Amino acid sequence: MTDAPPIRRNRSGLFAPIGLFLIVLVLWSVWWFVLAGQVRERLDAQVEAMRAGGWDVAYTGLGTSGWPFRVRLGAENVSITAPSGHALSAPDLAAEANAWNPDKWVLVAGDGLVLTRADKGKVAVRGQFIRASVHGLTQRWPNVAVEMARPEFTAHAGAEVFPIARAERIEFYLRPHLAPAGTPGSDDSVDVLFRLIEAEGRPDGPVEGLARNGKLTAQIEAVVEDAARLQGPDAAGVFAAWTRAGGRFTAVRGELSAGESRATLSSDLLSAGADGRLQGEVALQAVKPLPALAGLAGSPSGAVNRAGAAGAAAAGAVAGPAGDDIALSLTFREGRTFLGPFALAPAPRLF
């Protein structure tokens, strides 16, 4: 009896999946490098456009990484200065997106930021994390979110002290205005939301006085009309052209909590004057406002009119017991903030 010849097996089927994988890998890598190159080109074009518009943009060590699933741009010693003199700088700044969805980007400042206020100096910002996300870049107005977890603010030597020492969270959101289709002007408006959660004021400052050594929490939302005018800033800042064109805030709503005091606020219309100061009227429904007003009256800060705060506190005491709800009117006019007839402080300045 003779031995049967060995059976030869076709092994080509084992290599087919490997070959397919290598083809996909090559094609994906080509796509990744093309995408990374396009992102770099668009960034360079945007930087040149900003410089042509009067911005000062500087950075070192710009590099691209993240293959195969992400596109990441990282740079060091980033500095962006607006024509108004306001600036932002970061020792390390990174932006990344999924390679299969480059419409959403996340920016992270891993080592904190330095904010420069044109006439007040620099303040360092550090926290658990500082990040921003942008998505919907193909929309007229993208969705933007800025988040800071446990930020701390430290003014540089010679700079004006920042009113907030630290907070649990600070958040800012922007999105296209949600309105029924066909609403006039809705396509040129954006919704904004700002949250300040459990903020602590600097020693002897107005926030500390308002909260009576407690914590300040605020949530304010509004519609920004004629938002296209916020583009193309000049030396006065992004709000200058917007104001000259009649830009305004509408549907302003909010909630405030400072120590024992609580308040809800609303305003149908706020705008800015030629001096950049906010103008308009805000209705307040306050619960236990007297501790906050008394704290402002006792604050040694020069930013608060102590006599005006004391007068408002006295008037509130006459209006009702400290535990009652009290309807108040906060008015911004002539560059000042008035509570009823009492001037409290300068009106907030947009530019």
Side-chain angles (χ1 to χ4, degrees), residues 254-267:
E255 299 177 355
L256 301 174
S257 171
E260 301 177 42
S261 304
R262 305 283 188 276
T264 58
L265 61 89
S266 62
S267 176

Side-chain angles (χ1 to χ4, degrees), residues 260-262 285-291 316-327:
E260 301 177 42
S261 304
R262 305 283 188 276
Q285 191 64 36
V287 178
K288 293 186 177 181
L290 301 187
V318 172
D324 287 352
D325 289 0
I326 301 176

Side-chain angles (χ1 to χ4, degrees), residues 271-279 332 334-336 346-351:
S271 61
D275 60 353
R277 299 283 183 182
L278 202 63
Q279 58 185 16
F332 306 109
E334 301 170 358
R336 305 289 293 173
R349 189 170 187 172
L350 299 183
F351 62 87

Side-chain angles (χ1 to χ4, degrees), residues 21-254:
F21 171 77
L22 292 175
I23 292 173
V24 171
L25 180 62
V26 169
L27 293 176
W28 180 261
S29 297
V30 170
W31 156 251
W32 187 93
F33 282 103
V34 169
L35 176 62
Q38 291 179 345
V39 169
R40 180 68 179 267
E41 290 176 2
R42 292 182 182 181
L43 175 63
D44 291 341
Q46 182 62 42
V47 168
E48 290 305 316
M50 293 175 67
R51 288 171 175 166
W55 292 69
D56 183 9
V57 182
Y59 50 83
T60 62
L62 179 63
T64 306
S65 60
W67 181 89
F69 299 119
R70 293 181 178 274
V71 176
R72 183 182 187 275
L73 289 175
E76 299 174 348
N77 306 311
V78 179
S79 176
I80 304 173
T81 305
S84 61
H86 297 291
L88 180 150
S89 60
D92 178 75
L93 192 63
E96 67 176 38
N98 292 325
W100 61 85
N101 181 26
D103 189 47
K104 181 176 182 179
W105 286 83
V106 177
L107 291 80
V108 178
D111 292 327
L113 301 169
V114 175
L115 303 177
T116 300
R117 298 166 291 167
D119 55 349
K120 298 180 181 179
K122 298 181 177 181
V123 57
V125 186
R126 297 187 65 87
Q128 184 177 354
F129 63 75
I130 300 174
R131 66 190 179 198
S133 65
V134 182
H135 69 91
L137 295 175
T138 58
Q139 302 172 172
R140 176 174 174 79
W141 302 109
N143 295 66
V144 179
V146 180
E147 301 170 296
M148 300 182 184
R150 297 180 180 175
E152 296 187 359
F153 301 87
T154 306
H156 284 203
E160 183 175 313
V161 179
F162 201 69
I164 301 296
R166 62 188 58 85
E168 184 64 24
R169 288 184 69 89
I170 296 178
E171 302 172 354
F172 172 80
Y173 302 96
L174 178 149
R175 69 182 182 188
H177 178 49
L178 298 181
T183 302
S186 62
D187 60 342
D188 199 24
S189 300
V190 295
D191 295 334
V192 294
L193 171 64
F194 173 76
R195 290 192 180 118
L196 176 66
I197 301 174
E198 294 188 1
E200 299 178 24
R202 62 177 173 84
D204 298 327
V207 173
E208 184 183 73
L210 183 70
R212 298 299 296 269
N213 296 322
K215 295 182 179 181
L216 171 66
T217 294
Q219 175 172 302
I220 300 174
E221 58 184 296
V223 178
V224 181
E225 297 185 349
D226 297 315
R229 301 286 185 174
L230 295 174
Q231 300 178 3
D234 55 22
V238 295
F239 283 103
W242 176 78
T243 297
R244 289 193 296 267
R248 57 186 191 171
F249 301 104
T250 59
V252 181
R253 302 291 183 268

